[in-house]
């Protein structure tokens, strides 16, 4: 999984887990707010999407939808590693209640059916698709290509200066297309693109929830 994540540089990821004790159940957990005062640079973006996913995933017995919470301790969480090392926002979804280990297959199928809606919404958010029952209301993101004058891709570091921090590995364009992509919320940002042998490019822009920039 580690090698695959580094190779593919995913934008989003979900790890589904079921709590056998029920002590951590029906929750959507994302990176991170350490010591309750140290949020990740993309905290607002990760929280916004987690809340949107939750709106599509009703709880099994209780009234309401899955709870949303950030990871709070630096204890080797996979979702914290995914985000810090690859830029991928991974959600740990605790999918089950205390009876998830039941031999009743209907219960398991029901859990899957309720969670699939949130997963489809995640795909729509990644692609910027706003239509359909599970479309993304917020489609704010930036994407682009870094290319040389002859059109060949350049592997370059891409920063959003307002969403950067020393705990994050460099976010690079892919080597095949020179493509980069970042999820955002509506706000003003500063893009910085740099590569060895080239002049650094800086561009200010404003993202909109209605379209991909």
């Amino acid at each position: 999984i580690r090698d695959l994540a580094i190779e593919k540089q995913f934008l989003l990821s979900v790890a589904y887990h079921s709590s056998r004790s029920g002590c951590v159940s029906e929750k959507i957990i994302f990176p991170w707010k350490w010591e309750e005062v140290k949020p990740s640079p993309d905290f607002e973006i990760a929280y916004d999407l987690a809340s949107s996913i939750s709106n599509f995933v009703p709880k099994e017995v209780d009234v309401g939808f899955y709870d949303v919470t950030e990871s709070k301790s630096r204890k080797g969480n996979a979702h914290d590693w995914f985000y810090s090392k690859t830029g991928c926002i991974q959600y740990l979804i605790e999918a089950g209640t205390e009876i998830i280990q039941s031999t009743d297959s209907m219960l398991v199928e029901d859990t899957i059916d309720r969670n699939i809606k949130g997963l489809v919404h995640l795909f729509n958010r990644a692609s910027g698709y706003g239509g359909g029952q599970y479309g993304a209301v917020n489609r704010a993101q930036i994407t682009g290509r870094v290319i040389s004058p002859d059109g060949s891709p350049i592997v370059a570091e891409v920063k959003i200066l307002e969403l950067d921090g020393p705990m994050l590995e460099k976010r690079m364009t892919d080597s095949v297309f020179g493509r980069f992509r970042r999820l955002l919320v509506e706000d003003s940002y500063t893009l910085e693109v740099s590569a060895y042998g080239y002049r650094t490019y800086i561009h200010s822009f404003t993202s909109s929830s209605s379209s991909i920039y």
Side-chain angles (χ1 to χ4, degrees):
I1 292 174
R2 171 193 173 277
D3 292 345
L4 181 67
I6 291 173
E7 177 189 352
K8 298 300 182 183
Q9 297 291 305
F10 298 112
L11 184 68
L12 292 165
S13 171
V14 175
Y16 287 102
H17 189 260
S18 59
S19 173
R20 285 177 287 182
S21 66
C23 61
V24 182
S25 60
E26 298 184 314
K27 291 183 184 296
I28 300 172
I29 304 169
F30 63 93
W32 63 67
K33 198 172 185 181
W34 293 332
E35 299 175 0
E36 299 186 0
V37 293
K38 299 177 180 178
S40 66
D42 289 277
F43 182 89
E44 185 179 359
I45 295 153
Y47 175 79
D48 176 78
L49 180 51
S51 299
S52 297
I53 296 169
S54 171
N55 290 335
F56 294 102
V57 190
K59 292 185 175 181
E60 181 185 317
V61 178
D62 295 338
V63 176
F65 299 86
Y66 274 31
D67 298 322
V68 172
T69 186
E70 66 278 357
S71 57
K72 298 178 176 65
S73 63
R74 291 177 288 178
K75 58 181 181 181
N77 293 307
H79 43 279
D80 290 347
W81 180 90
F82 262 78
Y83 170 68
S84 175
K85 295 298 182 182
T86 74
C88 172
I89 299 176
Q90 183 180 81
Y91 294 96
L92 169 62
I93 298 183
E94 294 284 356
T97 65
E98 66 274 9
I99 55 174
I100 190 61
Q101 302 298 322
S102 169
T103 57
D104 184 356
S105 61
M106 294 297 292
L107 174 61
V108 177
E109 292 295 335
D110 175 65
T111 302
I112 293 170
D113 288 344
R114 284 181 288 106
N115 273 276
I116 282 293
K117 300 176 179 66
L119 184 63
V120 172
H121 175 74
L122 189 86
F123 292 152
N124 287 331
R125 178 67 171 95
S127 65
Y129 179 68
Q133 187 176 358
Y134 311 119
V137 174
N138 176 20
R139 287 177 278 170
Q141 60 177 283
I142 183 172
T143 186
R145 294 180 64 208
V146 183
I147 57 175
S148 65
D150 65 4
S152 59
I154 296 173
V155 177
E157 181 181 3
V158 179
K159 291 183 181 179
I160 304 293
L161 297 185
E162 293 79 4
L163 304 174
D164 195 42
M167 73 294 293
L168 304 180
E169 293 289 327
K170 293 180 179 180
R171 300 192 181 188
M172 311 298 292
T173 58
D174 72 79
S175 59
V176 178
F177 302 105
R179 171 73 63 184
F180 67 90
R181 187 183 300 273
R182 287 286 295 271
L183 296 181
L184 304 167
V185 293
E186 282 193 328
D187 208 339
S188 296
Y189 299 98
T190 307
L191 174 74
E192 179 183 284
V193 182
S194 58
Y196 180 77
Y198 293 87
R199 182 181 300 166
T200 297
Y201 174 79
I202 297 176
H203 175 68
S204 298
F205 68 98
T206 301
S207 66
S208 169
S209 63
S210 62
S211 62
I212 297 174
Y213 185 85

